[in-house]
Amino acid sequence: MRRGRVAAGLRHAVLGAWVLVVLFPVFWMVLTSFKDAGDWVSWPTRWAPFVDFEPTLLNYRQIFYIGGTTQSGELRREAAEQAYVIWKGMADSVVIVTIASVASLLLGSALAYAISRFRTGGRNYPYTILTIRMLPPIVVAIPMLIYYTSIPELFANLGGARVEFFDTYSGLILLYIATTLPYVIWMMLAFIDEVPRELEHAARLMGAGRLSTIGKVVFPLVASGMTVTLLFVFILNWSEFLLALTLSQPKVLTLPVLLNKFQSAVEGRLYGPQAAIGTVVTIPVVILGFLIQKHLVKGFSFGMIRR
Amino acid sequence: MASIRLDNLVKRFSGGVEAVGGVSLDIADGEFVVLVGPSGCGKTTTLNMIAGLERPTAGDIWIGNDRVTDWEPGDRHLGMVFQSLALFPHLTVFHNIAFPLMIKHVSRDGIAARVSAVAATLRVTHLLSKRPATLSGGEAQRVALARTIIVKPSAFLMDEPLSSLDAKLRVEMRTELKRLHAQLGATFVYVTHDQAEAMTMADRIVVMDQGRIHQVGPPLTIYNDPTNRFVAGFFGVPAMNFIEGELREAAGGLVFQAPVLRLGLARTTGAGAGPAVLGVRPEHLRLADGGEGSSVTVSLIEPLGDETLVFLDYGGPASLVAKVAAEDAVAVGDRCQVVLRTDKLVFFDANGARIA
Amino acid sequence: MAPTSTPKDSELRVTLRQWLERESVFRVLPLLPVQLLILSLLAVPFLLTIYISLLRWRITRGFWTAAPWGGVTNFVEALTDEDFLYAVLRTFVFAGFAVAFELLIGFGLALLTYREFRGRRVYLTVFLIPMMIIPVVVGYDFSMLLVDTGPLNSVLSVLTGQDVRIRWMSDYRTAQVAVVLADIWQWTPLTFLIFVSGLSALPPEPIKAARVMGATRGQVFRHVQLPLLKPVIVIAVVIRAMEALKIFDMPMLLTQGGPGNATETLSIFLWRNAWVFNKISYAAAASLLVLVLFSGVIFLSIWLLKRERAQLEEVRP
């Protein structure tokens, strides 16, 4: 038994070391978000709140413009503008990501059902869809930029109404639907395949039509799977950066793009507020991630690995 | 209540696989018909076509006086019990049984009354608030039946409904199903690969293989008078013994001549000379200590309790199996004579068709 | 069906319902919006891009319909552009290192945690955190760790007893290492997750059988578990390699491709050409070349995934 205990101790040592590696950057971000400007990058490093430095909510108050700030005049106006931008970034992100994720879930689930039950699109269709997902986003982004910026001109030349996709909600939403469809289709395919066809046959024989069979039998059985898929796709869209950076701004601004703006700010880096935004942006995703922890592997492996 | 008529049904799946190749069958009102055959013989596809779950490639299906070939499954007024039972896992037993009524928008009170009546008939009243996952095999079986019975369908289709049960329960459920059939007086079409189930329950058995019907008839006819070698081999445990040989003309009759076996036959059999396969069931072999018969060696003994199976080496490619009374004392290695009951022999030609 | 609805209205609804119930409609209808979206959002722009790559158009010079014809000059330029070719090389080397370490560490951690022991759930939960953090935030977070007066140098100072003030982002080698490290930090959780799932899903019978036959733990691992795990390994490699080759968000925030272009991956290279230098036609041509390059990788990936998936299905009872 001695050997067993040594092995167990060794195991905990290795795993514990990795826990430190995993948590350290997170810890540092959260720590910085509670530091005042003087403590951000001071040398020697300030580690312990209340000992090395006095923790403060100033960064959070600044980014959200809560309870006013100590600044006055010009500075105050700037802070107000900045806060406005952040609130707007959150609103844009929430609206775009929610609509796109729900739409993608509905379209993808319907198609996944058809594929599962009727082999719609042929045996290779799911793999064709997967190809799209494997394209580097930049290779999509460049054509999309040309396309979106061309559409109004082309339509105007044709004498039609003015249609805008560049830097609009609809432009990003459509693209987010298209890019997350492969995930939805593959995940839902895995969930729907688990519902025995005999259940549907039974319902059909009892006089239920195709639609009510889906509503009364299939949907209740895949509802939890649809929730998981929705959250997964939500996380993907919430994190998306390249397409948003390319096809929106300045009118539409999602949170990742906003963070980037802070990062490339000219007037010196604002570590504190940045850390606060990073923390705020990360929290919902980590919570959603934990909610669907058991199914994450299904999403990332396109349903190829089921647990 | 209704009769069912299949008129030259064909089902070809994409890819050219022919699952059912021209099946015609008349099922009388109130009859218990069992479709039996090895897996892949087309019996389930045939049942699914009757149910409307598969569209036939050609042919017609009649239920009563209606040609239902193109009807939706729900319009055919059939009840079906599936191999997996197909109980809805998200609904309670009550709602499972009530499901067909809810689809038909029966009033709440009507549903409650009919569910409790059916539940009482099948002794599942105490289970009504449970979920299917918590039921035992036999309970789930009865719930599936209750759900099917509640709308009083004109015919019942059953796709190997007992295959998930353990051996003892399966035998009990057979009896219960037969009782139910007598009680309801409805048409039953039952699919199984288990010949014992077919024998015990059917009014008529339909033997299928490779998408075709080989024989239709009452159980004992099928057992005693098979039309070909496939049917003969499929029924009976242990299976019928087959001995390859040749029928020859001889003085006063025919002689069946196998490599190490010679058998004189009466002329009445009506078969001609030529290569032939002799079929004899294990219970029609008798062991003797000397005199008539062919000499064999006992190679293996399987006591069943009431009877004993004796495997006999006769020099041919396979052993002969004899079913003898348990009291017969035989031991491995014994040499003895085997006697065939000539009135129970069947003969097939090289293609397996029955010739005598 | 509501009693208030007019007869005409409900008639229409019944007809619509009947139409929807038909199998052929049911089978095909869900495909239409998806195909429409994909065609209009991917196919049309793709054709447009081919055309534009043959022009000499900069976004600052009016609309592309007025741009002069350039023929294949953009393609020739890209293929002789050292920056482009280095970006390709850099991307593959970067992905190679990052994915190799992610697989090794992920597999090692999975081996230590796939069996039940006290505290296992805590480790599993903590280990997954990095991959749930948005890549942009990860890039930003690491840039903060690596400031010359930041915590990493601070820790190194304590460990070495000297005043360590490495300027990580100013030296091209340390910057490259930083990008690889950040990627490993973020994505080892995914390989770990895949391997843990794969290991705990292995059928126990073959392993028991091998143990009964007298195989040591090492032999069981080498001759039973590893071969059974092959499909899972292939899936992990393919999925991670594809993602690593596309990388953009994290280095964009961490190094902006710098110093110089030391950490300029393909995606960042293309992005810079299109948005910083406004050379849209050139970027279009280069991205088409990248597409050609990637289609090879993609087809290989799909082929592998398909094959291994079939094997996984076989193993599963």
Side-chain angles (χ1 to χ4, degrees):
Chain A
M1 273 296 92
R2 262 189 74 94
R3 244 188 77 203
R5 224 190 264 159
V6 171
L10 218 61
R11 184 214 306 262
H12 283 291
V14 174
L15 296 178
W18 189 255
V19 167
L20 285 182
V21 171
V22 163
L23 290 184
F24 183 68
V26 182
F27 161 75
W28 189 254
M29 182 168 76
V30 177
L31 194 71
T32 307
S33 76
F34 290 109
K35 282 182 177 176
D36 204 350
D39 302 322
W40 293 341
V41 289
S42 55
W43 188 262
T45 307
R46 306 224 160 122
W47 294 98
F50 301 110
V51 181
D52 286 349
F53 68 95
E54 203 53 45
T56 169
L57 284 172
L58 220 71
N59 297 315
Y60 290 96
R61 276 169 56 182
Q62 189 190 332
I63 62 171
F64 291 130
Y65 196 63
I66 295 169
T69 56
T70 50
Q71 296 135 333
S72 59
E74 186 65 7
L75 275 175
R76 193 184 172 83
R77 200 180 57 75
E78 250 175 47
E81 268 173 19
Q82 206 176 31
Y84 166 74
V85 169
I86 286 162
W87 283 109
K88 178 172 160 40
M90 293 232 260
D92 283 1
S93 267
V94 168
V95 171
I96 292 172
V97 171
T98 306
I99 296 177
S101 306
V102 171
S104 179
L105 178 74
L106 295 180
L107 290 177
S109 301
L111 184 51
Y113 180 80
I115 292 173
S116 168
R117 297 316 194 218
F118 305 114
R119 293 267 151 255
T120 292
R123 283 185 61 82
N124 278 321
Y125 188 75
Y127 291 98
T128 315
I129 281 274
L130 206 52
T131 323
I132 293 164
R133 180 56 235 174
M134 290 186 164
L135 291 175
I138 186 75
V139 173
V140 179
I142 290 177
M144 288 317 296
L145 176 76
I146 298 172
Y147 188 44
Y148 275 4
T149 49
S150 302
I151 282 177
E153 308 272 348
L154 290 175
F155 269 86
N157 289 352
L158 292 171
R162 192 156 177 85
V163 205
E164 288 274 12
F165 284 107
F166 183 76
D167 199 13
T168 61
Y169 280 3
S170 49
L172 269 191
I173 288 173
L174 283 176
L175 206 52
Y176 280 5
I177 295 174
T179 48
T180 50
L181 268 172
Y183 285 103
V184 175
I185 290 171
W186 273 83
M187 285 180 84
M188 286 311 298
L189 204 51
F191 285 119
I192 293 171
D193 277 345
E194 280 168 20
V195 177
R197 302 191 67 165
E198 285 195 344
L199 292 183
E200 286 173 68
H201 288 166
R204 300 266 285 130
L205 265 154
M206 292 177 207
R210 286 177 207 282
L211 289 175
S212 53
T213 300
I214 289 186
K216 293 202 168 74
V217 177
V218 183
F219 175 73
L221 292 174
V222 298
S224 60
M226 284 178 81
T227 314
V228 168
T229 308
L230 179 69
L231 295 185
F232 185 80
V233 168
F234 192 95
I235 295 178
L236 288 184
N237 284 334
W238 186 260
S239 319
E240 204 290 325
F241 173 54
L242 204 165
L243 295 173
L245 180 68
T246 309
L247 300 170
S248 61
Q249 295 185 76
K251 278 187 287 168
V252 174
L253 201 61
T254 65
L255 284 174
V257 178
L258 194 73
L259 258 172
N260 181 55
K261 278 185 103 114
F262 269 73
Q263 184 78 336
S264 43
V266 229
E267 71 282 7
R269 308 252 324 250
L270 299 164
Y271 291 102
Q274 261 185 323
I277 299 178
T279 308
V280 168
V281 171
T282 303
I283 287 169
V285 191
V286 172
I287 292 173
L288 294 187
F290 282 132
L291 287 180
I292 59 169
Q293 195 182 345
K294 255 177 29 192
H295 301 275
L296 275 179
V297 74
K298 209 178 239 174
F300 278 109
S301 69
F302 299 105
M304 286 193 194
I305 295 169
R306 304 164 197 195
R307 230 209 298 226
Chain B
M1 304 300 137
S3 59
I4 297 173
R5 189 153 68 82
L6 309 183
D7 189 6
N8 209 9
L9 274 189
V10 176
K11 177 69 189 180
R12 258 186 297 275
F13 287 109
S14 53
V17 184
E18 192 178 75
V20 174
V23 161
S24 296
L25 186 65
D26 271 307
I27 301 170
D29 185 13
E31 196 176 18
F32 197 135
V33 166
V34 176
L35 304 184
V36 65
S39 59
C41 73
K43 56 189 192 300
T44 297
T45 309
T46 306
L47 196 73
N48 284 343
M49 285 194 285
I50 299 175
L53 299 172
E54 303 267 11
R55 278 284 141 84
T57 312
D60 273 318
I61 301 162
W62 296 76
I63 297 178
N65 295 321
D66 298 314
R67 181 178 163 280
V68 301
T69 317
D70 302 319
W71 288 19
E72 287 293 314
D75 300 336
R76 301 185 182 202
H77 206 58
L78 299 169
M80 186 157 175
V81 181
F82 294 85
Q83 188 168 10
S84 63
L85 302 183
L87 295 178
F88 302 126
H90 58 296
L91 300 179
T92 60
V93 167
F94 177 89
H95 285 103
N96 262 285
I97 299 175
F99 192 90
L101 300 180
M102 291 197 281
I103 292 291
K104 293 184 173 63
H105 301 289
V106 176
S107 73
R108 285 185 87 110
D109 297 345
I111 290 179
R114 282 169 71 179
V115 169
S116 59
V118 171
T121 319
L122 283 153
R123 291 173 282 122
V124 294
T125 312
H126 60 297
L127 305 171
L128 285 177
S129 58
K130 287 194 174 185
R131 300 251 170 191
T134 63
L135 302 181
S136 73
E139 289 169 346
Q141 195 77 49
R142 293 206 299 275
V143 172
L145 281 171
R147 186 177 72 172
T148 318
I149 287 168
I150 196 160
V151 284
K152 303 191 176 68
S154 52
F156 289 84
L157 310 180
M158 308 207 175
D159 185 8
E160 311 220 15
L162 306 185
S163 60
S164 57
L165 301 180
D166 63 54
K168 188 165 172 288
L169 203 52
R170 201 175 321 166
V171 174
E172 284 173 24
M173 283 305 297
R174 274 189 214 159
T175 322
E176 191 151 349
L177 277 178
K178 269 188 97 162
R179 192 178 300 135
L180 195 67
H181 175 245
Q183 195 180 330
L184 298 170
T187 314
F188 274 45
V189 184
Y190 188 103
V191 159
T192 180
H193 65 273
D194 180 353
Q195 51 94 25
E197 249 171 52
M199 294 289 290
T200 46
M201 290 197 288
D203 291 332
R204 267 198 310 159
I205 291 177
V206 178
V207 190
M208 293 186 68
D209 188 36
Q210 303 195 335
R212 270 159 227 286
I213 292 181
H214 283 243
Q215 190 172 1
V216 182
L220 287 180
T221 313
I222 301 266
Y223 189 78
N224 293 324
D225 197 11
T227 53
N228 59 33
R229 185 173 167 176
F230 169 77
V231 176
F234 192 80
F235 285 85
V237 177
M240 185 182 256
N241 295 297
F242 293 110
I243 304 166
E244 308 227 355
E246 206 177 335
L247 281 173
R248 282 187 193 149
E249 298 281 349
L254 278 173
V255 167
F256 178 76
Q257 175 75 55
V260 278
L261 196 88
R262 194 184 150 85
L263 208 63
L265 300 169
R267 165 75 53 204
T268 51
T269 52
V277 178
L278 161 71
V280 59
R281 294 208 178 272
E283 60 267 34
H284 299 142
L285 292 180
R286 189 166 56 80
L287 299 184
D289 287 333
E292 13 78 279
S294 316
S295 101
V296 292
T297 313
V298 176
S299 62
L300 196 69
I301 293 173
E302 286 182 2
L304 299 177
D306 51 346
E307 284 165 320
T308 302
L309 299 183
V310 184
F311 291 72
L312 305 165
D313 241 334
Y314 72 102
S319 296
L320 291 179
V321 184
K323 197 187 261 180
V324 302
E327 306 81 71
D328 287 11
V330 278
V332 172
D334 283 0
R335 292 195 60 83
C336 54
Q337 306 298 116
V338 65
V339 183
L340 284 58
R341 268 183 68 174
T342 43
D343 58 327
K344 296 288 190 184
L345 302 182
V346 287
F347 290 92
F348 308 100
D349 67 12
N351 298 323
R354 175 86 176 270
I355 47 177
Chain C
M1 309 288 159
T4 47
S5 64
T6 64
K8 203 168 185 187
D9 176 77
S10 70
E11 202 174 282
L12 188 75
R13 256 158 79 183
V14 168
T15 323
L16 181 70
R17 220 186 152 83
Q18 274 171 352
W19 182 76
L20 271 173
E21 287 278 338
R22 285 165 54 179
E23 189 184 318
S24 51
V25 174
F26 219 75
R27 191 190 276 256
V28 178
L29 196 63
L31 190 61
L32 295 180
V34 173
Q35 285 301 90
L36 194 72
L37 200 64
I38 288 173
L39 279 182
S40 62
L41 231 48
L42 294 172
V44 175
F46 175 69
L47 295 176
L48 201 59
T49 306
I50 294 182
Y51 178 68
I52 298 229
S53 71
L54 299 171
L55 304 176
R56 271 181 294 168
W57 180 50
R58 280 167 175 254
I59 208 160
T60 41
R61 291 191 205 148
F63 197 51
W64 51 266
T65 39
W69 184 254
V72 295
T73 46
N74 287 316
F75 291 92
V76 175
E77 194 189 326
L79 287 171
T80 52
D81 181 351
E82 238 174 52
D83 287 347
F84 176 61
L85 298 177
Y86 268 117
V88 174
L89 184 69
R90 203 177 288 126
T91 304
F92 276 85
V93 171
F94 158 79
F97 274 108
V99 174
F101 279 107
E102 284 157 24
L103 290 170
L104 282 177
I105 301 173
F107 199 80
L109 293 173
L111 278 180
L112 289 176
T113 43
Y114 80 94
R115 270 192 236 103
E116 197 49 61
F117 65 91
R118 268 191 69 165
R120 175 171 180 264
R121 285 241 64 88
V122 179
Y123 286 121
L124 285 185
T125 307
V126 172
F127 286 178
L128 297 186
I129 291 175
M131 76 178 195
M132 293 175 201
I133 298 178
I134 303 181
V136 170
V137 175
V138 172
Y140 149 73
D141 196 2
F142 270 71
S143 78
M144 209 161 56
L145 293 178
L146 300 174
V147 180
D148 58 343
T149 56
L152 185 63
N153 281 344
S154 186
V155 169
L156 290 176
S157 299
V158 172
L159 291 179
T160 58
Q162 289 163 333
D163 197 30
V164 180
R165 296 286 280 271
I166 302 171
R167 299 179 65 89
W168 294 90
M169 289 305 131
S170 308
D171 181 79
Y172 75 94
R173 253 169 309 169
T174 52
Q176 286 170 341
V177 170
V179 170
V180 173
L181 284 181
D183 195 72
I184 294 173
W185 183 81
Q186 176 157 40
W187 291 114
T188 298
L190 179 55
T191 57
F192 164 74
L193 181 61
I194 291 178
F195 289 139
V196 165
S197 308
L199 276 167
S200 43
L202 286 186
E205 285 83 9
I207 297 164
K208 280 189 202 150
R211 294 284 285 174
V212 170
M213 285 180 231
T216 62
R217 284 215 162 177
Q219 286 172 319
V220 169
F221 176 71
R222 170 91 183 68
H223 297 291
V224 182
Q225 285 173 293
L226 211 53
L228 281 174
L229 211 56
K230 200 190 125 218
V232 174
I233 297 173
V234 171
I235 288 173
V237 172
V238 167
I239 287 172
R240 266 316 297 149
M242 287 306 310
E243 293 297 318
L245 288 173
K246 299 181 199 172
I247 190 146
F248 177 84
D249 307 12
M250 187 267 293
M252 190 67 186
L253 268 281
L254 181 51
T255 62
Q256 288 87 39
N261 47 17
T263 55
E264 192 177 77
T265 63
L266 259 179
S267 294
I268 296 180
F269 171 85
L270 291 175
W271 190 83
R272 272 191 175 175
N273 270 286
W275 281 270
V276 180
F277 309 136
N278 289 322
K279 292 161 73 180
I280 298 279
S281 277
Y282 178 69
S287 77
L288 285 175
L289 290 175
V290 171
L291 190 63
V292 172
L293 184 69
F294 260 77
S295 52
V297 181
I298 290 173
F299 280 119
L300 180 70
S301 304
I302 297 272
W303 180 75
L304 280 170
L305 287 181
K306 234 167 150 172
R307 206 186 58 178
E308 300 305 334
R309 183 162 197 257
Q311 268 181 32
L312 265 188
E313 301 279 321
E314 269 169 37
V315 172
R316 202 173 295 139

